[in-house]
Amino acid sequence: MAAAKVATEFRYLLRDKDRLGNPRVYYRPPGGKMIRLRSPIGTQAFVEEYQRARDGLTTTTETPARIVRAEQGTLRGLIVGYYKSANFKSLCLTTQRARRGILDHICESVVDTPAGPRARGALPFAQMMARHVRAIRDEKLDLPEAANGRIKALGQVFRWAIENDLTDTDPTAAVDYLSSGSEGFHTWTVEEVRQYEIVHPIGTKARLALALLLFTGVRRSDVVKLGRHMERDGVLHFTETKGANSRALGRKKTTDAKKRVLPILPELKAAIDALPSGQLIYLVTEFGRPFTAAGFGNKFRDWCNEANLKHCTAHGCRKAGAKMAAENGATAHQLMAIFGWETLRQAEVYTRNANRTLLAEQAMHLLVPREKNKSGA
């Protein structure tokens, strides 16, 4: 990617973005070597790092921006304190990494102030207002879910700060979430399932993968672990991966809440029996090893592409199963048992839509004028 010049008082600065959209700043004099500057623009650490690069004193052991010592009273200082709290440490590691990435990116972003460009992390957190949070949100207007993630992450920080008497206000409380205008992953239709099955018949690994996703309703993090060692009397017994090790405060999570017991449907058993792998795990790579969740996602993407279903995903199968179950009369609590949901909210999305469809079908004849009904016209 071609780098663009940064508008600051410093000379020979370039900026681009990495593959995740995170900003990167470099010092590159004419004919000289490009040197990465990791400290937030506007901080004293950045000035010192720039001067070292300019004077040829930069080493490969520079301290990354996100671990530069935070000053007390700044947004960065508040966030570093949150990282050390039980509220943050009790989250699962995946959530910790995601939240840290969001908050670090906010701290490293640069805004114009009366004193010149400064990193947000260097500004006093006590002066942060709702309009500042909206500005942070609106920088991701083209990615509504990412924008909402910023509000949520900052909200967790300020709620922790209030609980610990570090501040009296939460500037995120008055900021609305953006509407994504999207229903998320595409839900497979019956026609798309049939199209996939034609390209990937019984006896193929691709067909078994679809059957496992569709007839168990599990996530890809679980489908890669399912196997014969979990079978007992025609029933699968396993512990759901997502949230199983979470120690989030305020939640009553137990191992039992994540245990799943799912009958093996005849359609699924036929797909399993048609592809004996000699392994305990149902789905294995060409090297005979279990897939990773990410590796399976990539492979399933290839299988969908081969069936000309580039818009379909593994998670879309889970949604399709929930939709079909609801339309066949499954209650919200039955969906919770099948898909491992712990609240009614997600299940009611499907039962509400299914009930709406059923009611519409039953009531459509009421649109016909009564006179026509009587006359038979």
Side-chain angles (χ1 to χ4, degrees), residues 52-70:
R52 288 198 303 272
R54 181 194 60 193
D55 299 337
L57 302 177
T58 303
T59 67
T60 58
T61 59
E62 296 173 75
T63 304
R66 61 188 54 188
I67 60 175
V68 170
R69 187 173 181 272

Side-chain angles (χ1 to χ4, degrees), residues 217-219 221-223 225-226 230 237-246 253-262 318 336-342:
V218 299
R219 300 177 179 87
S221 56
D222 291 317
V223 76
K225 298 179 181 178
L226 297 181
M230 297 177 175
H237 297 257
F238 63 96
T239 300
E240 192 175 343
T241 300
K242 185 177 181 179
N245 298 318
S246 174
K253 281 185 180 282
T254 63
T255 303
D256 289 341
K258 289 295 177 181
K259 287 184 177 178
R260 306 281 298 281
V261 179
L262 299 175
R318 178 175 166 87
M336 289 170 65
I338 295 172
F339 295 96
W341 295 320
E342 296 181 34

Side-chain angles (χ1 to χ4, degrees), residues 230-293:
M230 297 177 175
E231 296 180 12
R232 293 204 295 274
D233 299 323
V235 176
L236 283 172
H237 297 257
F238 63 96
T239 300
E240 192 175 343
T241 300
K242 185 177 181 179
N245 298 318
S246 174
R247 297 168 292 148
L249 300 181
R251 291 186 186 172
K252 294 182 179 179
K253 281 185 180 282
T254 63
T255 303
D256 289 341
K258 289 295 177 181
K259 287 184 177 178
R260 306 281 298 281
V261 179
L262 299 175
I264 301 175
L265 298 176
E267 292 83 356
L268 175 57
K269 181 170 174 53
I272 293 172
D273 292 344
L275 189 68
S277 66
Q279 305 283 344
L280 287 178
I281 302 296
Y282 293 139
L283 292 171
V284 294
T285 68
E286 57 190 33
F287 303 106
R289 300 182 62 83
F291 284 97
T292 63

Side-chain angles (χ1 to χ4, degrees), residues 114-135:
R118 297 190 66 188
R120 281 195 174 98
L123 301 175
F125 71 82
Q127 296 179 12
M128 179 170 278
M129 303 170 65
R131 61 185 176 86
H132 300 127
V133 178
R134 291 191 189 95

Side-chain angles (χ1 to χ4, degrees), residues 85-197:
S85 71
N87 296 58
F88 181 77
K89 292 182 177 179
S90 62
L91 301 173
C92 68
L93 292 178
T94 301
T95 303
Q96 285 186 33
R97 284 194 295 269
R99 186 162 298 173
R100 185 185 287 271
I102 293 171
L103 293 171
D104 286 346
H105 189 267
I106 291 172
C107 285
E108 293 165 9
S109 61
V110 178
V111 292
D112 291 326
T113 71
R118 297 190 66 188
R120 281 195 174 98
L123 301 175
F125 71 82
Q127 296 179 12
M128 179 170 278
M129 303 170 65
R131 61 185 176 86
H132 300 127
V133 178
R134 291 191 189 95
I136 291 172
R137 177 199 66 186
D138 292 348
E139 288 177 355
K140 294 287 185 179
L141 274 178
D142 56 334
L143 298 169
E145 294 304 323
N148 294 338
R150 288 181 152 203
I151 302 174
K152 181 178 179 181
L154 277 175
Q156 294 297 326
V157 173
F158 277 96
R159 279 188 279 281
W160 164 79
I162 291 172
E163 291 171 2
N164 289 273
D165 299 322
L166 298 175
T167 186
D168 297 324
T169 59
D170 174 9
T172 70
V175 180
D176 293 330
Y177 284 90
L178 298 179
S179 174
S180 66
S182 169
E183 296 183 358
F185 292 98
H186 168 72
T187 303
W188 290 54
T189 65
V190 173
E191 292 75 17
E192 288 166 343
V193 172
R194 298 291 176 261
Q195 182 174 327
Y196 183 100
E197 291 176 338

